[in-house]
Amino acid sequence: MNRDEILLLFDVDGTLTFPRTIIENDFKEFMYREIKPRATIGIIGGSDLEKMFEQLNGHEILNNFDYVFPENGLVQIEKGVEVGKVSIQRHLGEDTLQRFINFVLKYLSELKLPYKRGTFLEFRNGMMNVCPLGRQCTVAERKEFNEYDQIHHIRKNMIEALKKEFKDVDLTYSIGGQISFDVFPVGWDKTYCLRHVTKGTNFKEIHFFGDKTDPGGNDYEIFNDSRTIGHKVSTPHDTKRILSEMFNIS
């Protein structure tokens, strides 16, 4: 197959980078030198574009990736140009949004954790990101919260409370990364980007690489979608190994 017939879509955290760290130079060069000439490549993340820039060496991703899909693909960038965007505010309405935000802040105010920092809720174009610990945490605090969460299920329990409180609203919840979870309308998961890449293209294969592929993870839906071939990874090293095997790169 030639480059225009195969699409590789990559999650960011745990796939192209280690969690909330910057892409390693050797791996970046491998992607651009070895993989890009062989396939169309795109990134699909839950974070906004600025966080993608932070982890993937700045604005160069707009030139080096054919597709860039921040916020689960609810913002669509093709060949460096934004071609589409959806709005959770228009979809849900201000009353529902404020009801949700007020509940989240009240819940977090009553939650006891080893640490609490700042920025507990981020409002994005197509989703809200809830972070019980607060995004203004250190790497060490992030790691400690992740270990604490695996034992005490802070995020899972909070999601269950939100599902109960907002059972009348078409929201879904997805745990991604180490410290937060995303909230968005049903169907606005990472499979949303497939609406864009399957329109007017001739891809014979679409491969997806991600680490949060279990139920409740933010890669689960696209990993299991019938339109994709899913590859579960845990680190960029796994991603590089699978790609090397796919394209016979020694």
Side-chain angles (χ1 to χ4, degrees):
M1 284 188 289
N2 62 43
R3 184 179 188 275
D4 296 329
E5 293 177 324
I6 182 168
L7 170 63
L8 308 177
L9 289 172
F10 300 92
D11 169 52
V12 179
D13 256 15
T15 303
L16 296 182
T17 74
F18 290 93
R20 295 307 301 157
T21 59
I22 298 171
I23 191 169
E24 296 178 343
N25 280 329
D26 287 351
F27 182 66
K28 183 182 70 170
E29 290 304 313
F30 169 80
M31 288 293 299
Y32 297 159
R33 184 184 65 249
E34 301 289 351
I35 303 306
K36 187 177 180 182
R38 292 174 164 88
T40 303
I41 58 175
I43 45 177
I44 168 76
S47 298
D48 59 24
L49 185 58
E50 287 301 317
K51 288 190 175 60
M52 284 185 164
F53 287 157
E54 289 174 13
Q55 289 187 262
L56 299 175
N57 213 36
H59 288 67
E60 70 175 40
I61 61 173
L62 299 178
N63 297 319
N64 288 311
F65 285 91
D66 301 282
Y67 296 105
V68 176
F69 294 120
E71 302 184 37
N72 281 3
L74 302 171
V75 179
Q76 302 108 42
I77 299 170
E78 185 174 352
K79 300 188 187 308
V81 178
E82 184 180 300
V83 295
K85 181 188 293 186
V86 297
S87 167
I88 192 173
Q89 182 174 349
R90 285 198 300 270
H91 182 83
L92 295 180
E94 188 63 30
D95 288 346
T96 300
L97 268 182
Q98 289 202 29
R99 178 182 154 213
F100 181 89
I101 291 169
N102 290 344
F103 183 88
V104 165
L105 295 177
K106 184 173 187 296
Y107 185 99
L108 291 176
S109 74
E110 298 171 350
L111 188 63
K112 180 70 171 69
L113 297 173
Y115 305 102
K116 278 188 182 177
R117 296 302 177 241
T119 312
F120 301 101
L121 189 147
E122 284 188 347
F123 184 82
R124 302 172 183 170
N125 290 301
M127 69 175 71
M128 289 172 283
N129 178 265
V130 180
C131 183
L133 169 65
R135 288 198 161 274
Q136 295 175 354
C137 58
T138 66
V139 172
E141 289 165 348
R142 170 187 291 270
K143 184 174 183 293
E144 186 173 340
F145 173 82
N146 184 249
E147 294 169 352
Y148 184 86
D149 187 45
Q150 291 177 27
I151 298 170
H152 299 282
H153 308 295
I154 301 301
R155 290 181 290 177
K156 181 180 178 182
N157 292 339
M158 187 172 182
I159 286 171
E160 290 305 313
L162 287 165
K163 285 180 177 179
K164 182 177 179 181
E165 180 70 19
F166 295 93
K167 57 181 179 292
D168 59 319
V169 184
D170 69 331
L171 292 174
T172 191
Y173 306 84
S174 183
I175 293 175
Q178 294 179 303
I179 59 174
S180 67
F181 61 90
D182 296 328
V183 185
F184 44 86
V186 172
W188 288 21
D189 52 63
K190 287 185 179 179
T191 60
Y192 198 92
C193 77
L194 299 178
R195 306 182 192 190
H196 184 75
V197 300
T198 57
K199 186 165 53 178
T201 59
N202 298 308
F203 296 123
K204 293 182 177 178
E205 292 181 4
I206 300 175
H207 294 255
F208 171 75
F209 294 74
D211 64 321
K212 296 291 188 298
T213 59
D214 294 330
N218 66 353
D219 297 325
Y220 175 78
E221 291 83 3
I222 191 170
F223 177 81
N224 289 283
D225 194 280
S226 61
R227 293 166 289 182
T228 67
I229 300 168
H231 303 275
K232 181 176 177 60
V233 299
S234 298
T235 69
H237 300 158
D238 293 336
T239 305
K240 184 176 182 179
R241 173 181 53 78
I242 295 169
L243 288 169
S244 297
E245 291 170 356
M246 282 178 61
F247 294 105
N248 296 314
I249 301 169
S250 57

